[in-house]
Amino acid sequence: IKKNNKYLTLIDQDINYRHKIEENKKIFNKRELAEHYDKLNYFLSYMKKIFKKPIKVAIHPLYNQKIISKYLSKYKVVKYKTYDLINESELIINFGSSTIAHALLLEKKIITLSSKFVPNSEVYSKKLDLFKIDIFSFKGITKKKLLQSLNYKNTKLKNYINNYHIIDKTIPGYKKILNNIDILFKSF
């Protein structure tokens, strides 16, 4: 897997998508959506400024790209490219998406965001002791302090990778799968 650090990537949540509506027990109105995205845009523009890198937004294939693009108009919003963007990013910003497992395996820096409109966004951050920021109380942070918070060695994270992503404790699962596929094709 080729990885580099061209971007910062937000893995966004469509807070009015059906699974979020079931979780929140409501549909957010335009004012609430605007409030959420105003805070998110402030945070993203701050990150863009201190890292001096473009931000790309990855969304789930079933999310409404037109609506999310409207609220995040300063950024390119894409579907079907999440793993590519993670590979090409220095920093992954998310609201608790399970796709951060890929970022964890690549040892990418990860920030988990919370918002009063996104409950339960901290499942992974709590379980893995990841850095988290509430976009409604965010006032700023120096790049140095942020990098110190993101670069520390996390034993919970290493245990997670070893327990859930390394099949025989020596080879990551994806490499084992690729090796087995290679062996299978050579047998034909």
Side-chain angles (χ1 to χ4, degrees):
I1 296 174
K2 182 183 173 196
K3 58 181 186 171
N4 57 45
N5 295 319
K6 293 192 291 191
Y7 310 113
L8 308 180
T9 293
L10 167 67
I11 302 170
D12 195 26
Q13 290 274 325
D14 181 346
I15 62 176
N16 273 342
Y17 186 67
R18 73 172 186 269
H19 73 279
K20 288 295 166 190
I21 293 170
E22 290 167 8
E23 193 175 292
N24 299 334
K25 308 284 190 255
K26 74 175 277 184
I27 295 174
F28 295 108
N29 62 40
K30 287 182 180 182
R31 183 193 54 75
E32 292 167 319
L33 284 170
E35 184 181 2
H36 170 78
Y37 279 105
D38 284 347
K39 296 295 185 182
L40 181 56
N41 274 301
Y42 173 77
F43 175 79
L44 292 175
S45 65
Y46 194 91
M47 291 295 108
K48 182 178 178 181
K49 181 180 174 185
I50 66 171
F51 280 93
K52 297 176 178 44
K53 292 191 179 187
I55 293 177
K56 302 248 180 152
V57 180
I59 62 170
H60 189 280
L62 297 177
Y63 288 175
N64 189 325
Q65 187 170 6
K66 186 177 177 182
I67 290 174
I68 293 173
S69 294
K70 178 183 134 190
Y71 286 106
L72 295 172
S73 60
K74 296 178 187 173
Y75 310 104
K76 183 172 176 88
V77 177
V78 297
K79 292 183 177 185
Y80 313 108
K81 300 278 185 192
T82 302
Y83 293 102
D84 294 335
L85 290 175
I86 289 171
N87 292 346
E88 298 172 354
S89 293
E90 177 176 355
L91 174 66
I92 309 304
I93 304 162
N94 78 100
F95 284 98
S97 170
S98 61
T99 59
I100 65 158
H102 184 67
L104 296 168
L105 291 172
L106 295 176
E107 299 179 352
K108 295 288 186 171
K109 296 173 186 72
I110 299 169
I111 296 175
T112 298
L113 300 179
S114 62
S115 162
K116 65 183 181 181
F117 299 113
V118 186
N120 303 319
S121 66
E122 301 176 358
V123 173
Y124 288 99
S125 66
K126 284 181 181 176
K127 184 175 185 174
L128 301 174
D129 199 21
L130 300 174
F131 188 71
K132 58 186 175 256
I133 292 176
D134 182 333
I135 60 173
F136 278 83
S137 62
F138 180 75
K139 301 291 185 237
I141 188 170
T142 66
K143 184 176 180 181
K144 182 179 178 180
K145 184 174 180 184
L146 180 59
L147 289 174
Q148 286 172 342
S149 298
L150 295 171
N151 285 332
Y152 81 99
K153 295 300 175 203
N154 181 333
T155 55
K156 285 184 180 179
L157 179 58
K158 288 191 183 299
N159 289 338
Y160 172 80
I161 291 170
N162 287 334
N163 291 331
Y164 296 102
H165 291 281
I166 296 183
I167 294 170
D168 65 10
K169 303 295 183 212
T170 59
I171 301 172
Y174 75 92
K175 285 187 180 176
K176 185 117 178 149
I177 292 167
L178 291 174
N179 289 342
N180 286 336
I181 290 171
D182 193 40
I183 291 167
L184 180 67
F185 278 109
K186 285 181 181 175
S187 68
F188 284 106

